[in-house]
Amino acid sequence: MPRVFSGIQPTGEPHIGNYFGAMRNYVNLGEEYGKNSLYCVVDLHAITNPAAFDPQRLAQRTFEMAVANFAVGLDPQKVTFFVQSHVPEHQELSWIFTTLTPVGELERMTQYKDKSAQLESVPAGLLMYPALMAADILLYKADTVPVGEDQTQHIELTREIARKFNHAFGETFPEPRAVYNRDALRIPGVDGNGKMGKSKGETSTIGILEPLDSIWQKLRVAPTDPARVRRTDPGDPEKCLIGDYHKLFSDLDTIELVYAGCRTAGIGCIDCKKKLMEGVTAHLTPIQARAEDFKADPDFVRDAIAQGAREARALAQPIMEEVREKVGFLKL
Ligand code: SF4
């Protein structure tokens, strides 16, 4: 049975870019692969970048990320959902992988170059990040990894590490393949400045758990097609982020109505945005209600995460046993 692994950064409240780009896909893959789909909140990765790491909020953000994923429909009974630091085998395998990975290859990683350029003192953990990521995936012999295209280099390195290990110690790991969800790259920020992303601040994002009136305030002032200077000017919904959002949130009839209305100046931008808000409300209200239910029952969330760690360890431990034996560690 193929096995899927995906790491989720504990960045607190996810936005609709995360939802349409990754989380919804997790739910679908979970239906298909069941317990062989593993979703891991990667808190060990989160501490590698001192610029983004806040120890006061890490536990809370990890918890919130679990709540958000459960709220969008990821069922911890059906999939394996856990927190990276609860499965210490990730670190053990990562260490072995660092011994197989040339420093030069790690230094060539684009993400490392970008992040380290912003730091005065670069922690070794930031350099080792891709070895830990390779361990995350290969610890479960996962062969399918849903990622954004910015992770291509890391997946290539994971394949390389798998090949090196297999060559040095005998056939052990599959070479995993990346599965891209290209929608993630096309969701524009609500401030009109490129792709939606947390690093650009909350003015660019629409949180899936954000209060609806706050979302409306952002949509109300969001830029539209600059060709529509006056209400009577026709526009092009393909050149407007509100047009893009309609494709995510509105039904086909509404999309046809507002697209035609925009092109003929039959609808004003505020009315078009109100139509969009109806779709946003219909989409996010049940998710937000479920999130409130989970927050009101933190023991359920904690128990689900603890159970996920037990399930993940049950998969990881025999593979780690195999690795230890092949590497030649003394077994007592
Ligand atoms: S009518 Fe809608 S799609 Fe067209 S420019 Fe205005 S907000 Fe954008």
Side-chain angles (χ1 to χ4, degrees):
M1 176 75 183
R3 191 168 281 169
V4 177
F5 179 93
S6 198
I8 304 165
Q9 286 280 352
T11 47
E13 188 187 301
H15 54 67
I16 59 166
N18 304 131
Y19 172 62
F20 286 105
M23 296 165 84
R24 236 175 27 156
N25 196 26
Y26 296 162
V27 176
N28 294 337
L29 288 169
E31 294 295 331
E32 194 179 336
Y33 292 88
K35 287 286 176 189
N36 275 313
S37 49
L38 292 102
Y39 300 110
C40 175
V41 184
V42 289
D43 53 352
L44 296 173
H45 285 285
I47 67 169
T48 59
N49 185 358
F53 167 43
D54 177 357
Q56 308 296 327
R57 299 184 65 194
L58 181 59
Q60 182 197 344
R61 290 184 153 195
T62 301
F63 181 87
E64 285 171 1
M65 191 45 82
V67 165
N69 276 281
F70 298 166
V72 301
L74 201 64
D75 183 348
Q77 313 275 352
K78 285 190 186 160
V79 305
T80 308
F81 187 96
F82 63 104
V83 173
Q84 192 182 26
S85 65
H86 298 170
V87 182
E89 287 80 4
H90 284 252
Q91 296 159 69
E92 187 182 355
L93 186 58
S94 167
W95 177 252
I96 293 169
F97 287 169
T98 62
T99 68
L100 295 169
T101 314
V103 170
E105 278 191 38
L106 294 167
E107 285 173 334
R108 271 197 293 280
M109 295 290 118
T110 309
Q111 275 200 356
Y112 170 74
K113 285 196 234 172
D114 291 348
K115 287 180 183 167
S116 61
Q118 296 163 21
L119 300 171
E120 253 178 52
S121 167
V122 180
L126 188 61
L127 183 66
M128 301 306 166
Y129 186 112
L132 178 58
M133 185 167 160
D136 297 339
I137 298 163
L138 297 176
L139 182 57
Y140 305 97
K141 297 191 178 180
D143 45 22
T144 306
V145 190
V147 283
E149 282 187 351
D150 57 348
Q151 294 298 316
T152 301
Q153 246 190 337
H154 288 164
I155 300 298
E156 260 316 305
L157 188 64
T158 299
R159 293 164 62 85
E160 176 75 29
I161 289 172
R163 280 195 292 273
K164 277 194 178 152
F165 187 98
N166 292 345
H167 182 71
F169 304 111
E171 201 60 35
T172 308
F173 295 115
E175 287 183 37
R177 69 189 174 96
V179 181
Y180 300 111
N181 190 342
R182 284 163 216 281
D183 287 351
L185 296 176
R186 287 198 293 267
I187 297 173
V190 69
D191 56 1
N193 289 322
K195 187 187 159 193
M196 184 173 290
K198 267 228 164 54
S199 56
K200 296 179 183 160
E202 288 189 357
T203 51
S204 97
T205 61
I206 291 178
I208 59 168
L209 304 182
E210 186 171 343
L212 294 173
D213 53 349
S214 164
I215 294 176
W216 171 244
Q217 292 311 322
K218 289 179 182 173
L219 292 178
R220 202 173 54 82
V221 298
T224 57
D225 178 6
R228 293 205 75 180
V229 180
R230 287 176 298 268
R231 166 70 178 77
T232 47
D233 294 331
D236 182 354
E238 300 288 353
K239 292 182 182 159
C240 174
L241 66 91
I242 300 296
D244 289 337
Y245 289 179
H246 269 295
K247 288 184 192 163
L248 301 172
F249 288 105
S250 300
D251 56 41
L252 279 177
D253 288 348
T254 307
I255 294 171
E256 274 176 23
L257 185 84
V258 295
Y259 271 49
C262 178
R263 291 188 173 113
T264 57
I267 188 171
C269 288
I270 282 292
D271 285 334
C272 175
K273 289 175 174 181
K274 282 183 182 163
K275 284 264 174 227
L276 170 65
M277 195 59 208
E278 287 170 18
V280 170
T281 304
H283 223 93
L284 296 188
T285 299
I287 293 174
Q288 297 190 354
R290 280 197 296 272
E292 287 309 313
D293 290 345
F294 286 123
K295 282 183 194 163
D297 190 1
D299 287 346
F300 172 86
V301 177
R302 287 178 190 283
D303 288 350
I305 294 171
Q307 176 61 20
R310 284 191 287 275
E311 291 166 0
R313 290 199 83 182
L315 296 173
Q317 280 171 336
I319 294 171
M320 217 40 241
E321 269 299 308
E322 182 188 352
V323 168
R324 286 188 204 108
E325 199 178 318
K326 284 183 171 165
V327 173
F329 292 137
L330 175 66
K331 190 176 174 187
L332 297 175

